[in-house]
Amino acid sequence: MLELGVLDQSVIGPGESATTALWQTVELARRTEKLGYSRFWVSEHHDSGSLAGSSPEVLLAAIGAHTSRIRIGSGGVLLPHYSPYKVAENFRVLEALFPGRVDLGIGRAPGGFPLSSLALRGPAAPVQDDGMPDKLRELGAYLETGQALPAEHPLHGLIASPRVASAPEIWLLGSSDVSAALASRLGARFSFAHFINGEGGQRAVAQYAASFRPGMLGTRAQASICVFVVCAETDERAEREAKAADLRLLYQEKGERHRPYPSVEEAEAYPYTEWERARTAINRRRMVVGGPERVRDSLQELADSYRASELLVVCPIADFRARVRCYELLAALFLRRSFG
């Protein structure tokens, strides 16, 4: 049976506050746990007017306190910006609080724009060379999922606190075969971001599975797919809800990062140019939209094409009630869960 997880981006709905968006994420985690979802991840975005989740570690602490079984994780921590030592300690604290439930998903993207990247890394740090392989090896050493740092390393012998009996599962997140190759080489689990890149993911996941070997970040190959889904009671209602997501992606591509999340009414009134309509059609390749029957068939076809047993769903609907309904409908389709 196909497993479903959640990636929530803490969307700030039209006329709502970031505070509301963050508490809606916590409530969504509580509800999707009851519906039988496998895991609940939160994203990291910076300098955004439409997404509130800038610190997944802090948000995960609140989510863990309001849930009891569902796996919780980052989708993902943007390691190029940070010290592996600090990331390891943050997630060791989470593992101590919620043992056996924590996923450390790691991304390579900046999660924002050049100014926020500069602010996060500091002016003395190189902006172009992210040093990901070395940072990942160092992270594995601190989490004790791989080898210790060699004696000649300047941080040899350093211990990440607190010492706990278990470690989070480490996932590399990516939208190309570059991250897939890195995950297979270092032994990490891998999640392909189909919601970012709707092309080439099947090849990347197949290459990951074929070339995987145990390494610094784990011993078992496991892959998942992350995809935008807009599901409503009818195809027509889902298509209308998806219009706001279409426009938000277009704003993002145009660099209009401080715009609030558009309403459906704003999207319906927007005067698309011919180029913008073409971009929207391309973006729809990253998205599954429809009523229950259409979505069921499309998601199963997508999972089969990837040979994946788990999908992570990003529901890009600003209205919280409609977003919850999307996850309820998916649970009824794939998890055999009813809702009241």
Side-chain angles (χ1 to χ4, degrees), residues 8 10 22-23 25-26 42-43 53 55-64:
D8 192 62
S10 302
L22 292 171
W23 279 112
T25 291
V26 174
V42 294
S43 62
S55 181
E57 303 94 332
V58 176
L59 187 52
L60 288 174
I63 291 169

Side-chain angles (χ1 to χ4, degrees), residues 79 104 106 132-133 135-147 168-172 182-189 212-220:
L79 188 60
L104 170 48
I106 299 166
M132 276 291 282
K135 283 194 167 190
L136 288 167
R137 292 186 183 96
E138 189 178 335
L139 180 67
Y142 295 139
L143 291 174
E144 299 178 347
T145 59
Q147 298 174 352
E169 288 187 0
I170 300 177
W171 291 74
L172 290 194
L182 189 58
S184 65
R185 188 164 74 249
L186 297 180
R189 294 165 170 84
F212 179 88
R213 61 178 184 269
M216 289 291 294
L217 303 182
T219 59
R220 184 168 69 92

Side-chain angles (χ1 to χ4, degrees), residues 10-336:
S10 302
V11 172
I12 304 171
E16 295 183 336
S17 68
T19 299
T20 297
L22 292 171
W23 279 112
Q24 286 175 346
T25 291
V26 174
E27 176 63 12
L28 184 63
R30 192 183 68 81
R31 295 195 189 196
T32 52
E33 177 179 67
K34 290 182 177 180
L35 290 169
Y37 282 80
S38 58
R39 62 188 83 235
F40 191 98
W41 287 1
V42 294
S43 62
E44 178 177 340
H45 292 90
H46 301 283
D47 197 22
S48 171
S50 58
L51 305 177
S54 59
S55 181
E57 303 94 332
V58 176
L59 187 52
L60 288 174
I63 291 169
H66 286 79
T67 57
S68 60
R69 299 181 306 279
I70 194 170
R71 294 195 66 86
I72 59 174
S74 55
V77 168
L78 306 177
L79 188 60
H81 296 319
Y82 306 125
S83 153
Y85 184 66
K86 184 58 175 174
V87 172
E89 292 206 321
N90 285 340
F91 277 80
R92 279 200 156 186
V93 169
L94 288 170
E95 185 69 24
L97 293 171
F98 314 112
R101 294 177 56 201
V102 178
D103 298 330
L104 170 48
I106 299 166
R108 298 174 64 248
F113 290 82
L115 280 180
S116 59
S117 295
L118 180 63
L120 288 163
R121 298 187 190 205
V127 175
Q128 298 300 323
D129 181 13
D130 61 21
M132 276 291 282
D134 289 339
K135 283 194 167 190
L136 288 167
R137 292 186 183 96
E138 189 178 335
L139 180 67
Y142 295 139
L143 291 174
E144 299 178 347
T145 59
Q147 298 174 352
L149 295 174
E152 62 271 17
H153 195 285
L155 299 176
H156 173 73
L158 181 63
I159 294 173
S161 301
R163 300 296 296 269
V164 292
S166 58
E169 288 187 0
I170 300 177
W171 291 74
L172 290 194
L173 320 178
S175 56
S176 71
D177 53 6
V178 175
S179 293
L182 189 58
S184 65
R185 188 164 74 249
L186 297 180
R189 294 165 170 84
F190 178 61
S191 185
F192 186 83
H194 187 93
F195 74 105
I196 294 175
N197 179 12
E199 304 290 338
Q202 291 86 346
R203 181 182 66 253
V205 171
Q207 290 174 349
Y208 163 78
S211 59
F212 179 88
R213 61 178 184 269
M216 289 291 294
L217 303 182
T219 59
R220 184 168 69 92
Q222 185 176 349
S224 66
I225 314 306
C226 194
V227 59
F228 279 133
V229 179
V230 178
C231 186
E233 279 81 357
T234 65
D235 292 344
E236 293 75 19
R237 183 175 295 183
E239 288 289 346
R240 185 169 187 268
E241 291 285 358
K243 290 179 181 179
D246 290 335
L247 184 55
R248 192 258 165 185
L249 291 175
L250 185 62
Y251 286 158
Q252 185 179 34
E253 290 184 351
K254 294 168 66 177
E256 299 176 13
R257 63 189 183 279
H258 293 145
R259 275 185 177 269
Y261 206 98
S263 66
V264 172
E265 291 75 18
E266 178 184 349
E268 289 180 329
Y270 184 81
Y272 281 88
T273 66
E274 184 176 345
W275 177 86
E276 289 172 336
R277 291 192 183 281
R279 285 303 310 166
T280 297
I282 292 172
N283 285 336
R284 278 295 185 101
R285 298 173 188 171
R286 324 188 230 162
M287 197 182 302
V288 172
V289 178
E293 290 187 8
R294 181 194 289 181
V295 166
R296 180 195 60 210
D297 294 344
S298 297
L299 284 181
Q300 190 62 62
E301 181 180 352
L302 183 69
D304 291 345
S305 74
Y306 276 95
R307 297 184 178 179
S309 60
E310 182 177 14
L311 297 178
L312 269 71
V313 174
V314 189
C315 183
I317 299 176
D319 180 84
F320 184 63
R321 289 172 298 180
R323 190 153 86 247
V324 169
R325 186 62 167 170
C326 175
Y327 287 109
E328 289 177 339
L329 291 170
L330 293 175
L333 289 171
F334 293 100
L335 306 178
R336 305 296 189 265

